[in-house]
Amino acid sequence: QVQLVESGGGSVQAGGSLRLSCAVSEYIDSTYCLAWFRQAPGKEREEVARISETGSTRHPGSVAGRFTISKDNAKKALYLQMNSLQPEDTAMYYCAADFRRGCWWYVFDETSSYWGQGTQVTVSS
């Protein structure tokens, strides 16, 4: 059973930065597709960044240029650098891992993917 533990959340003012970390219980060298998601109260869960087993990344338009996903295979860690934070970025942030091949072609879900418990990010104006 893969375990993921997020940290680094907190409260910041608009324009500020935070770096989220996700500790993974198993090696993430070339096996996992990893991602960050967020969910605000009353809203659906939203993917904010994804990184493939080879290190290629994808960030959707809402966070492109402000958020950067990265990983450190040796430390078994996933990161999300968040800059120029805005109040609309306020949400619970989750990291997720998935074994399936074809990182860019599937949706992370509750059946096949592994999820952390989340870390809260609050941005005030």
Side-chain angles (χ1 to χ4, degrees), residues 55-96:
S56 297
T57 63
R58 182 173 73 189
H59 306 79
S62 61
V63 304
R66 299 190 299 124
F67 290 12
T68 303
I69 189 172
S70 63
K71 64 176 181 172
D72 186 326
N73 291 338
K75 295 182 178 179
K76 298 188 291 183
L78 177 70
Y79 305 103
L80 185 68
Q81 178 66 43
M82 305 186 294
N83 299 325
S84 302
L85 283 161
Q86 299 301 316
E88 52 266 35
D89 295 317
T90 296
M92 185 72 78
Y93 283 72
Y94 301 89
C95 62

Side-chain angles (χ1 to χ4, degrees), residues 12-115:
V12 297
Q13 291 194 330
S17 298
L18 282 174
R19 188 193 194 206
L20 304 183
S21 298
C22 174
V24 186
S25 63
E26 297 188 9
Y27 285 103
I28 59 172
D29 46 2
S30 60
T31 308
Y32 292 82
C33 186
L34 300 164
W36 287 97
F37 291 78
R38 67 185 180 187
Q39 188 166 22
K43 295 187 177 181
E44 293 188 356
R45 188 169 60 197
E46 173 190 21
E47 181 174 332
V48 295
R50 184 180 296 207
I51 186 166
S52 74
E53 52 270 40
T54 62
S56 297
T57 63
R58 182 173 73 189
H59 306 79
S62 61
V63 304
R66 299 190 299 124
F67 290 12
T68 303
I69 189 172
S70 63
K71 64 176 181 172
D72 186 326
N73 291 338
K75 295 182 178 179
K76 298 188 291 183
L78 177 70
Y79 305 103
L80 185 68
Q81 178 66 43
M82 305 186 294
N83 299 325
S84 302
L85 283 161
Q86 299 301 316
E88 52 266 35
D89 295 317
T90 296
M92 185 72 78
Y93 283 72
Y94 301 89
C95 62
D98 201 295
F99 287 92
R100 291 174 290 175
R101 293 180 180 272
C103 183
W104 308 118
W105 305 108
Y106 54 74
V107 175
F108 281 67
D109 59 31
E110 305 302 329
T111 301
S112 301
S113 311
Y114 296 90
W115 298 85

